[in-house]
Amino acid sequence: MGLISDAFIATKTELEETQFMSQGNPGQFFPTIQGKNIDPLMLAQLELIVTNLEKNSLPAILSSLDERMLGEAESTEQWIYQFPDPLVDRLATLQDTEISRYGAQWGATKEWQSKKGLPPTEAATQFLQLLCQLAVRAHAETKNMYMWISL
């Protein structure tokens, strides 16, 4: 079956008030892009790639990702991670050529290579394009960006 990994935007207040983890998924309440099989390591790799950090920064990014976990319902196997503001800022400003370049780099990681479906570079680039569109909307509406992961 795999992971469901939906990116969405909301204010902290909206997130707290809906408590959607006990009622469904973020798409029922917030602007959402649906994803599959995007795990925390892949999110960290994306941040590393688009913010041009050194490869040896990956452990620190993974650690900060754990710190940015806002919701956790292990009994229902669901987690919510907040995208860091610098990453959302960067995603909101990427140009098409950068999206293609970064999508290719992200799709070349072994985590994408093991996924079924579209070729990894194409799938990663398409998902990155959608994340960029969502980041633009997050900026316009002064909202945070999150990733909901569910087994």
Side-chain angles (χ1 to χ4, degrees):
M1 183 173 164
L3 294 175
I4 297 171
S5 30
D6 295 350
F8 67 98
I9 60 172
T11 65
K12 284 189 181 192
T13 302
E14 289 172 334
L15 191 59
E16 291 167 2
E17 288 176 353
T18 62
Q19 303 211 350
F20 75 84
M21 287 176 67
S22 63
Q23 302 173 30
N25 64 64
Q28 296 171 278
F29 301 94
F30 310 112
T32 302
I33 59 168
Q34 295 180 335
K36 292 206 184 288
N37 300 315
I38 308 295
D39 61 33
L41 176 57
M42 294 171 80
L43 286 178
Q45 290 169 331
L46 175 64
E47 184 175 349
L48 181 84
I49 291 166
V50 302
T51 58
N52 296 310
L53 294 172
E54 297 294 323
K55 274 196 168 191
N56 62 2
S57 302
L58 190 59
I61 294 171
L62 282 167
S63 177
S64 72
L65 190 60
D66 284 342
E67 293 167 10
R68 293 190 311 263
M69 186 169 44
L70 300 179
E72 176 180 11
E74 286 198 27
S75 62
T76 58
E77 299 179 319
Q78 299 178 66
W79 301 267
I80 299 174
Y81 296 92
Q82 182 175 349
F83 283 66
D85 291 337
L87 177 57
V88 177
D89 294 344
R90 185 73 177 119
L91 291 172
T93 61
L94 289 181
Q95 301 299 311
D96 288 341
T97 55
E98 294 172 304
I99 293 169
S100 295
R101 183 174 71 239
Y102 294 140
Q105 289 174 359
W106 196 28
T109 62
K110 69 179 179 182
E111 289 72 25
W112 273 102
Q113 297 296 315
S114 66
K115 306 297 179 203
K116 295 185 176 162
L118 290 175
T121 299
E122 186 178 341
T125 302
Q126 285 180 7
F127 194 70
L128 178 56
Q129 177 70 49
L130 294 172
L131 287 175
C132 291
Q133 292 170 2
L134 195 62
V136 167
R137 186 166 177 185
H139 270 218
E141 297 178 17
T142 318
K143 294 186 176 185
N144 297 312
M145 201 162 149
Y146 302 95
M147 177 70 73
W148 173 66
I149 298 176
S150 178
L151 291 177

